[in-house]
Amino acid sequence: MRVGILGLGLIGGSLARAYAKAGHRVFAQDQDASILEFAQLAGAVEAPLNQETIPQCDLILLAIYTGGCIAWLEENAGKISPEALVMDCCGVKKEICDFAFPVAEKYGFTFIGGHPMAGSHQSGFKYSRSNLFQGAPMVLVPPRFDDARLLERAVEALAPCHFGKFSVTTGEKHDEMIAFTSQMPHIVSNAYIKSPTAAAHKGFSAGSYKDLTRVAWLNPGMWAELFLANKENILKELDVYIHSLCQYRDAIVREDEAQLVQLLEDGRRRKKEVDG
C-alpha cells in the first residue's frame, strides 16, 4: 500500500513509522523540511508527498490542524486518485467532515473522519513511535452509516497501527464527547498547575498530583485551536464544572461537613456508575 501522510508531528510521525514498519511505502509532507529529511533518514518515509506522489497514494492521512487540512484539500483534492481513501486525524470532527465530505464526492475519492485516541504530553517527530496506537481506541466518522464496506475498508487500511477498538459516530457527537473526555482535562490540568503553591510541590506530591498535572504540559497552539473550534461544547462543560466547584467551595466556607460528605459521595458514586 502507498500511504501519504500530511504532517510529521507525534501523530503523523507515529503513523509513518507504523506503516513503514509494516512494509508499506510512505510519502510525507511537513512544513519543516529538516523534519522530512530526518524522517527519511530514520526509514519512516520513502519520499516527499507532492504533486507526483499524491496521485499514487492508496491511503492519505491528514495529521495537522483542522485549518491546515482544509487548506491542503482545497489545493490538492483534484490530484487525489478516485481509488484513494483519505482520512483526517484532527481533534474535532464536525468542521473538517462538513468540508471534506462534499469535496470528496466532487472529486470522486473517499473521505472518512478519524480521531486516534492516543498521544503524549511530548510533541514532535522525535517522540513518535511505531507502537503509539497499539491497543488504543480509534473514532471513525463516515459520510453514511449504512456503508458497512467503507467501515471495513477503513479498519483494514488502519491495520498497521494495531488499534484496539473502533467507535463510529457523527461529527457533532464526537465533538460533544471529546470536549468532556479530552479537552476539559487539559484545561483543568493547565489551570490547576498555575497555583503559586505548585512551585513548592516537590517532596509533598505523589500519584494524584502527577495524574492531574500530566497533560498541563501541552502544545498551546494546537489546543487553543481545538478549544475554539469546539467552543459551544467546551463552554457547556466548563459551566458544569465551575458550578460543581462552587458547591464544594460553599460547603467548605460554611463548614458544612454533611454537605461536603454528600458532594464527595455523589462524585464517588458517579465514578462507579460511569466506569464500573
Side-chain angles (χ1 to χ4, degrees):
M1 183 163 56
R2 291 158 296 188
V3 183
I5 298 177
L6 177 64
L8 288 171
L10 176 68
I11 299 299
S14 295
L15 290 168
R17 290 183 186 276
Y19 281 94
K21 184 177 181 180
H24 300 286
R25 300 180 65 189
V26 178
F27 309 121
Q29 178 181 335
D30 193 272
Q31 63 181 356
D32 188 336
S34 66
I35 296 298
L36 176 58
E37 182 179 356
F38 182 74
Q40 289 179 266
L41 291 172
V45 174
E46 176 181 324
L49 180 67
N50 53 31
Q51 292 189 6
E52 294 182 1
T53 54
I54 290 172
Q56 301 176 31
C57 292
D58 306 297
L59 172 67
I60 296 178
L61 300 167
L62 310 178
I64 60 174
Y65 298 174
T66 302
C69 290
I70 290 174
W72 189 89
L73 285 171
E74 286 179 330
E75 180 179 352
N76 297 288
K79 305 181 187 74
I80 298 171
S81 167
E83 306 301 319
L85 174 65
V86 181
M87 185 182 307
D88 79 288
C89 300
C90 299
V92 290
K93 294 268 71 75
K94 186 177 187 304
E95 182 180 5
I96 182 67
C97 288
D98 284 352
F99 173 82
F101 288 154
V103 169
E105 186 173 357
K106 176 181 177 180
Y107 289 98
F109 61 87
T110 302
F111 181 89
I112 186 169
H115 187 182
M117 303 304 298
S120 167
H121 64 280
Q122 304 281 12
S123 61
F125 182 81
K126 67 178 179 178
Y127 295 107
S128 64
R129 60 183 194 273
S130 62
N131 65 348
L132 179 67
F133 311 107
Q134 180 83 38
M138 176 65 169
V139 182
L140 298 175
V141 179
R144 298 178 307 279
F145 279 81
D146 59 350
D147 192 343
R149 181 66 192 100
L150 171 58
L151 295 175
E152 291 175 5
R153 181 183 176 190
V155 171
E156 290 171 3
L158 293 167
C161 301
H162 300 289
F163 286 103
K165 178 182 179 181
F166 289 88
S167 299
V168 181
T169 188
T170 64
E172 291 85 354
K173 186 62 176 179
H174 167 277
D175 292 356
E176 177 185 336
M177 293 303 300
I178 220 69
F180 173 74
T181 62
S182 177
Q183 295 173 347
M184 272 296 293
H186 282 80
I187 291 176
V188 171
S189 179
N190 197 263
Y192 170 79
I193 199 63
K194 293 176 182 177
S195 167
T197 313
H201 82 86
K202 294 180 180 179
F204 297 87
S205 55
S208 55
Y209 169 84
K210 292 178 181 178
D211 290 344
L212 185 53
T213 60
R214 181 180 65 83
V215 293
W217 194 347
L218 44 68
N219 181 327
M222 181 188 78
W223 284 100
E225 180 176 310
L226 290 172
F227 297 155
L228 294 177
N230 205 17
K231 175 182 174 181
E232 291 185 6
N233 290 314
I234 284 288
L235 290 177
K236 181 181 72 174
E237 293 296 340
L238 274 172
D239 288 344
V240 170
Y241 187 61
I242 290 170
H243 175 71
S244 293
L245 286 178
C246 288
Q247 289 181 313
Y248 289 94
R249 187 183 191 283
D250 291 346
I252 292 171
V253 167
R254 297 194 308 268
E255 297 186 7
D256 189 340
E257 184 175 352
Q259 177 63 15
L260 191 55
V261 168
Q262 186 60 56
L263 289 169
L264 294 169
E265 172 59 24
D266 291 344
R268 186 198 67 81
R269 185 175 65 251
R270 185 59 173 158
K271 171 65 175 175
K272 183 178 180 180
E273 290 172 354
V274 300
D275 288 343

